[in-house]
Amino acid sequence: MKRIWNVAALGAVIVLGLGTFVIDMNKTEAEWELTVKTNPDVWADQTIDVFYETENETSERFEVTTERSRIATNMNYIEEAIHYRDTLDPSLRGFYRQMKELNFAQSIRTDEGYVGLGQNGNQEIVLFKSTDGETVTSETFKAPADVMEGSWAGLFVHDRDVHLIFRSGYEAESKTKLAVLKEGTNEITIKDLDLDNDFVSEVLGTSWFYDRNMMPISTGNRFIPVRVGAYESFTENGETHSTETNRPGLFAYDIETNKVVQLASKAEESNLTVHDNELMAVQLDGSEIVVDLMTGKPSPRQVIDGSVGTTTYVGNQLYHVRPTKDGAVIDVYEDGKAVSSAAVNATNEEAKLLLDGAQFYVR
């Protein structure tokens, strides 16, 4: 198949044999500025994503750092791919490249390195590991049908074995199971998890394919944070249907008892993260619950005073975004204490026109 590239001043036309695709390269003139008020070291590697959306689905995204502001939508896709590649850890590109060949790939970062898992075809599961960021090892497992056909909730590592929590079956008839991959034996053992009518919908810390901001998770944790889902039935026009909902509260899979337990019931969280041996969740009232994943013990503390805006965890730091008339103020907390503050503002009229529909996130 021939590839013909025509690059024009306002766009790129790519002819790929069967069809023609137009990529609009028109750039907005909106500009944003990130000004750090205290402790600039906190912001050395951080990026603010500014999203602008309206009711008619107009959307634009900007990336703002202490050095520059750039639009990140409607770009030449080659330029965007190069930019995205540059943001990845160069030592892990080999790890990501091999995972790219798999279906349904997931990955995690432990305190011992990176682990990836995915399906190769319809019968094999491939496990990838990189402990030094350079060397990638792999092992292939012949997987049972329920693992290959099940809905994967996520991974964790314990006692040097990789564990996969998944759902086998469909809807209310499904069962949550645990697959343990025994390295060096090519064997997978399966356990059932008893959750009555509930199921594990997500293993926290797991990324689909990969995430540039994955945080290290201790392989010695007894409690593996998960989200627990439930099926609720409703009747409409004489027909009964079921829908999935998440149970309120903080939950974890207890490795020692092989059960899912509730760590905290007051958990109307605004955001949460797993870092090393801690689960941290900021609540809608501005308090934060920190759970020791070795013991399962929760410890509450007050962090944010006043109303809670948009929150994001990056590592073990909590970023709290409060809108202002010119943009937003972002306060940073670590170990429950304020450690830095910054402001992202619209610096020209084009950006100011976007303020009513703008949202700000830190990564």
Side-chain angles (χ1 to χ4, degrees), residues 120-133:
N120 179 25
N122 297 320
Q123 295 182 321
E124 292 182 338
I125 286 181
V126 182
L127 169 65
F128 289 105
K129 280 190 172 182
S130 179
T131 57
D132 58 5

Side-chain angles (χ1 to χ4, degrees), residues 182-194:
K182 295 286 186 180
E183 290 186 72
T185 67
N186 302 112
E187 294 181 358
I188 297 178
T189 59
I190 307 294
K191 296 181 183 179
D192 289 336
L193 300 186
D194 185 9

Side-chain angles (χ1 to χ4, degrees), residues 143-161:
D146 57 348
V147 177
M148 299 297 290
E149 297 172 4
S151 176
W152 292 10
L155 313 174
F156 66 92
V157 177
H158 182 75
D159 196 21
R160 307 197 68 83
D161 289 329

Side-chain angles (χ1 to χ4, degrees), residues 260-274:
V260 174
V261 297
Q262 189 168 28
L263 301 173
S265 58
K266 184 183 178 183
E268 296 177 332
E269 75 269 1
S270 172
N271 214 317
L272 74 172
T273 190
V274 184

Side-chain angles (χ1 to χ4, degrees), residues 333-349:
Y333 302 87
E334 185 174 346
D335 295 329
K337 300 177 181 178
V339 295
S340 182
S341 182
V344 57
N345 293 321
T347 58
N348 61 8
E349 291 302 319

Side-chain angles (χ1 to χ4, degrees), residues 211-225:
D211 184 345
R212 292 171 291 188
N213 297 319
M214 282 191 293
M215 294 298 110
I217 302 173
S218 173
T219 59
N221 290 338
R222 170 181 170 177
F223 295 90
I224 310 301

Side-chain angles (χ1 to χ4, degrees), residues 215-360:
M215 294 298 110
I217 302 173
S218 173
T219 59
N221 290 338
R222 170 181 170 177
F223 295 90
I224 310 301
V226 298
R227 289 192 187 276
V228 172
Y231 289 103
E232 294 184 354
S233 298
F234 65 95
T235 302
E236 186 177 42
N237 298 326
E239 295 185 0
T240 300
H241 306 273
S242 62
T243 182
E244 296 183 6
T245 61
N246 277 326
R247 294 284 192 200
L250 299 179
F251 296 87
Y253 167 65
D254 183 351
I255 292 173
E256 292 190 8
T257 64
N258 193 41
K259 294 181 178 180
V260 174
V261 297
Q262 189 168 28
L263 301 173
S265 58
K266 184 183 178 183
E268 296 177 332
E269 75 269 1
S270 172
N271 214 317
L272 74 172
T273 190
V274 184
H275 185 270
D276 195 21
N277 65 334
E278 291 184 329
L279 167 65
M280 293 172 282
V282 60
Q283 311 296 290
L284 296 180
D285 63 1
S287 65
E288 186 178 42
I289 295 177
V290 181
V291 181
D292 184 333
L293 298 176
M294 302 286 190
T295 64
K297 181 181 179 181
S299 300
R301 62 192 181 195
Q302 189 63 37
V303 178
I304 300 171
D305 294 325
S307 61
V308 177
T310 302
T311 59
T312 306
Y313 279 103
V314 180
N316 62 341
Q317 292 177 331
L318 173 64
Y319 290 75
H320 180 226
V321 180
R322 295 179 286 116
T324 65
K325 64 181 182 64
D326 296 318
V329 169
I330 305 173
D331 299 313
V332 188
Y333 302 87
E334 185 174 346
D335 295 329
K337 300 177 181 178
V339 295
S340 182
S341 182
V344 57
N345 293 321
T347 58
N348 61 8
E349 291 302 319
E350 289 80 1
K352 291 177 181 179
L353 291 174
L354 307 181
L355 284 172
D356 285 345
Q359 300 179 51
F360 305 86

